[in-house]
Amino acid sequence: MNRWFKIGLIICLYIGLGYGQASASNSVSYYFDGQRQYEFAKPIHNDGHYWFPAAPLLKQVEKQIKYDTKTQDSQEEVSVRTIDALMADLESEQVVVGDREMISDSVLEDYGYSVYHYDQNNSLHVSSPELMTIAGITIGSMKHVVDTQLTGVKWDTAYGKKADVIGYFGEMIDLHYTDRYGIERSGQVPELQIEVTDGVVSYMIVSSPQFSTSKGIVVGDRLTDVIRSYGTNYYRERIDGKEVLIYDVEFGSIWFIANSERKIERIGYWDHWVRGF
C-alpha cells in the first residue's frame, strides 16, 4: 500500500471519530470465534474501546444467529424474523468512522458477544454468545453451578490427575477405539463428563446427541458440518484411531472426535489452547 495513502487513511479515521485519540490497530491479529479475519480495515482502538468494520462483522454475526436459530422447517419463518430484527438493531448502532461504518465493542457486548485483547501476542478476539458452553455449563464455571444446572451428577476423586474431582452425568455409552498398540478395544463413557480443577470447570466431554454446541453441532453430525459451522482454521489429529478436529478459541479449545465414517462420537471443551494463535 502506498505510504501516503496509509497516512491519509489514519488521518481520516481520526477525524471521523471526532474525539479522543483514534488509532488503526494495524498490527493486531483479529479473530472471530477463533477464525482469523483478514479484512482490509483493521479494528480501531479509541478511548479504551475497539471499533470494528461493520460489513464483515455483520456477516459473521448473521452466520452465528443462523446457527443459534437452527429449527424445524415449520419454525423457519420465525427464525428469519429473529435474524432480521437483530441484524436491524445492530445496523442501527453503526457509526461512520472515516469512510467506513463501524460497530463498537460495547454494542457487541450488549448483545452477548465478548471482546478480549491478549496483550502478550496482541490478538483481539470477538466470541459469539456461549461459545464455550455446553449442557448449560461453561468452562470456568464453579462446581456449585454445575450441581445447580444438572441434577444427579456423580462426583468422584480424580485419582492420579491434577483435577480436584471428575463428574459423571447421564447414561453410560459404549465406545470403541484403537489403543496405542493398534489393538481394537471397547469401553463405556458417560453422556457427559466434567472435570473440576482449582474449583472451576476445566474440561467437559459429551458423548450424547442431547447436548448441542452453541453452533448447533451434536454427536452424530459429520465433520463437514463442523467445518461449515466453525471454519477452516483448525488442527487435525489422530488419537486412538479417531479423527479429531481441534479449534482454538478465545478462552480454550473445542474438540470434535469422529469415527472412521467421519461422524462425531464425542465433543470436548478444554480450558487451554492447543497451539495458540
Side-chain angles (χ1 to χ4, degrees), residues 13-256:
L13 292 173
Y14 177 83
I15 294 173
L17 280 173
Y19 61 93
Q21 288 188 330
S23 61
S25 303
N26 291 320
S27 61
V28 70
S29 299
Y30 167 34
Y31 297 85
F32 188 98
D33 283 353
Q35 299 295 294
R36 181 75 177 269
Q37 305 298 302
Y38 292 98
E39 287 82 26
F40 170 73
K42 293 285 188 178
I44 297 167
H45 189 252
N46 182 79
D47 284 352
H49 289 278
Y50 281 97
W51 296 75
F52 299 87
L57 178 62
L58 287 172
K59 287 181 181 178
Q60 293 289 348
V61 172
E62 184 176 21
K63 285 171 58 179
Q64 178 59 36
I65 298 170
K66 287 179 179 178
Y67 301 142
D68 292 343
T69 56
K70 184 187 288 186
T71 60
Q72 298 177 358
D73 293 339
S74 61
Q75 297 176 319
E76 186 63 29
E77 184 179 351
V78 175
S79 298
V80 171
R81 286 203 302 267
T82 302
I83 294 170
D84 289 345
L86 182 50
M87 292 298 290
D89 287 344
L90 284 172
E91 288 172 356
S92 69
E93 300 283 359
Q94 297 177 75
V95 174
V96 175
V97 181
D99 60 351
R100 303 203 68 178
E101 293 179 322
M102 313 287 281
I103 295 178
S104 73
D105 55 7
S106 59
V107 170
L108 290 174
E109 289 166 352
D110 286 343
Y111 286 91
Y113 290 77
S114 69
V115 180
Y116 192 85
H117 180 261
Y118 287 92
D119 293 330
Q120 65 269 30
N121 58 5
N122 196 23
S123 62
L124 181 64
H125 294 259
V126 176
S127 294
S128 56
E130 299 187 337
L131 181 62
M132 292 296 283
T133 298
I134 198 163
I137 307 299
T138 302
I139 290 293
S141 295
M142 302 289 288
K143 180 177 175 293
H144 71 82
V145 173
V146 178
D147 289 322
T148 300
Q149 182 68 30
L150 299 172
T151 302
V153 177
K154 298 177 182 178
W155 296 102
D156 195 4
T157 303
Y159 297 103
K161 295 187 177 182
K162 179 182 176 182
D164 305 335
V165 291
I166 296 178
Y168 305 92
F169 180 79
E171 302 296 326
M172 299 302 290
I173 296 173
D174 292 329
L175 180 69
H176 303 279
Y177 63 98
T178 303
D179 68 16
R180 60 180 177 175
Y181 302 106
I183 300 174
E184 293 289 334
R185 297 189 180 278
S186 63
Q188 288 193 318
V189 295
E191 291 183 271
L192 171 63
Q193 182 171 316
I194 306 167
E195 179 182 88
V196 174
T197 306
D198 296 330
V200 299
V201 175
S202 54
Y203 167 70
M204 296 181 288
I205 188 163
V206 301
S207 306
S208 167
Q210 72 168 300
F211 303 114
S212 172
T213 74
S214 67
K215 294 181 184 288
I217 299 297
V218 298
V219 167
D221 285 344
R222 294 186 174 275
L223 290 181
T224 51
D225 299 321
V226 172
I227 296 170
R228 190 178 299 115
S229 298
Y230 282 82
T232 57
N233 185 21
Y234 58 81
Y235 307 108
R236 191 189 302 270
E237 302 284 352
R238 288 203 67 84
I239 302 174
D240 290 338
K242 307 297 183 181
E243 183 175 358
V244 185
L245 299 188
I246 304 170
Y247 287 85
D248 280 345
V249 294
E250 182 181 355
F251 295 117
S253 56
I254 304 176
W255 298 45
F256 297 94

Side-chain angles (χ1 to χ4, degrees), residues 254-271:
I254 304 176
W255 298 45
F256 297 94
I257 305 167
N259 60 22
S260 59
E261 297 177 345
R262 307 195 82 217
K263 286 188 176 182
I264 301 169
E265 291 185 335
R266 310 183 84 189
I267 302 172
Y269 285 55
W270 290 82
D271 65 351

